[in-house]
């Protein structure tokens, strides 16, 4: 999968079939993605991975609040 430079600077592509690279991709999108990048994510997958991702505290709080408000 080709990754936009605003999400990932060090590489132009990731193998999102690899679980580690997929988690990294999701982390990068949650922290640096634009609305159109975030909209393409699988929300059930994001919710299930949120506890495993190393996100900045402000970004983690934003997404935890988002998913708590969706209940």
């Amino acid at each position: 999968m080709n990754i936009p430079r605003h999400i990932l600077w060090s590489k132009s592509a990731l193998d999102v079939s690899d679980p580690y690279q997929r988690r990294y991709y999701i982390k990068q999108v949650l922290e640096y993605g634009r609305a159109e990048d975030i909209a393409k994510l699988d929300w059930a997958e994001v919710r299930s991975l949120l506890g495993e991702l190393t996100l900045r505290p402000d970004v983690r709080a934003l997404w935890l609040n988002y998913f708590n408000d969706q209940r």
Side-chain angles (χ1 to χ4, degrees):
M1 167 183 240
N2 290 327
I3 310 297
R5 287 285 176 205
H6 63 273
I7 295 174
L8 184 65
W9 308 275
S10 61
K11 299 179 115 184
S12 61
L14 288 175
D15 177 5
V16 294
S17 66
D18 172 49
Y20 176 82
Q21 290 186 50
R22 180 141 184 96
R23 282 190 302 274
Y24 182 71
Y25 170 72
I26 291 170
K27 173 198 176 307
Q28 291 297 105
V29 171
L30 293 177
E31 289 195 323
Y32 304 109
R34 298 175 182 159
E36 59 267 20
D37 305 313
I38 293 167
K40 294 175 187 174
L41 294 176
D42 176 336
W43 293 107
E45 181 179 24
V46 172
R47 179 181 276 174
S48 71
L49 292 175
L50 200 54
E52 299 174 28
L53 301 175
T54 306
L55 298 168
R56 295 187 327 253
D58 58 328
V59 174
R60 176 176 298 290
L62 178 137
W63 289 109
L64 287 173
N65 287 337
Y66 173 81
F67 285 116
N68 285 335
D69 287 347
Q70 296 302 308
R71 291 183 181 173

